[in-house]
C-alpha cells in the first residue's frame, strides 16, 4: 500500500470518526454545543446530525476516488471555514483551544500534499 492510499484511509477515518461518533451518535456533546452556539439552540440536534451525515458522505467520497482533486479542495475549504468560525466564535469549546487551528492547518497541508504532491 502506498502513502497516498494510507493517507486517503486516514482522512476517511477522520471524517467518519467526527461524523458518526461525535455528531450522529452524539458521543462528544461538545460538537452539538458548538453548533448550538454558532447556529442557535432551536435545531442544534438536527443540524449536528446533518453535519455528521455530510462528514460520513465525505469519507465515502474520499474512498470512492471520484474526482479526487475536487474532493481535496472541498476538504480544505470546509476545514478552513469551519476552523475560522470556531476559532473566533467558540474557541472556549474547542478541544485544544487555539491549537485547534494549528492541527487543522496541518491536516490541510497533508490533504494538499496527498493530492497535489504525491
Amino acid at each position: 500500500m502506498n502513502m497516498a492510499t494510507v493517507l486517503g484511509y486516514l482522512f476517511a477515518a477522520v471524517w467518519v470518526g467526527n461524523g458518526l461518533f461525535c455528531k450522529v451518535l452524539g458521543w462528544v456533546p461538545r460538537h452539538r454545543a458548538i453548533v448550538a452556539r454558532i447556529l442557535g439552540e432551536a435545531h442544534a440536534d438536527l443540524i449536528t446530525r446533518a453535519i455528521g451525515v455530510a462528514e460520513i458522505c465525505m469519507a465515502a467520497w474520499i474512498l470512492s476516488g471520484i474526482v479526487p482533486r475536487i474532493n481535496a479542495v472541498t476538504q480544505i475549504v470546509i476545514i478552513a471555514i469551519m476552523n475560522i468560525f470556531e476559532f473566533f466564535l467558540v474557541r472556549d469549546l474547542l478541544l485544544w483551544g487555539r491549537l485547534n487551528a494549528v492541527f487543522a492547518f496541518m491536516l490541510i497541508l497533508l490533504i494538499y500534499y496527498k493530492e497535489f504532491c504525491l
Side-chain angles (χ1 to χ4, degrees):
M1 200 175 327
N2 65 29
M3 178 63 79
T5 302
V6 170
L7 287 173
Y9 288 138
L10 175 69
F11 301 149
V14 168
W15 287 103
V16 167
N18 277 292
L20 178 62
F21 300 111
C22 297
K23 294 180 182 79
V24 172
L25 297 176
W27 290 2
V28 182
R30 179 174 36 80
H31 288 264
R32 186 207 175 277
I34 290 168
V35 171
R37 176 113 40 104
I38 294 173
L39 299 175
E41 186 65 42
H43 301 289
D45 288 330
L46 177 64
I47 294 169
T48 302
R49 286 191 176 94
I51 292 169
V53 169
E55 290 177 342
I56 295 165
C57 291
M58 178 64 77
W61 185 12
I62 292 166
L63 295 174
S64 77
I66 297 170
V67 289
R69 289 195 168 185
I70 293 173
N71 176 274
V73 171
T74 303
Q75 287 182 76
I76 289 167
V77 168
I78 289 169
I79 292 166
I81 290 170
M82 176 185 65
N83 278 276
I84 289 167
F85 276 118
E86 291 174 347
F87 185 84
F88 290 106
L89 299 175
V90 293
R91 189 177 316 145
D92 60 305
L93 294 176
L94 299 177
L95 183 59
W96 298 297
R98 291 175 186 218
L99 279 178
N100 263 47
V102 174
F103 294 124
F105 185 66
M106 290 185 336
L107 179 59
I108 286 170
L109 288 177
L110 266 178
I111 292 167
Y112 179 86
Y113 175 74
K114 181 242 181 217
E115 198 50 52
F116 296 98
C117 298
L118 289 181

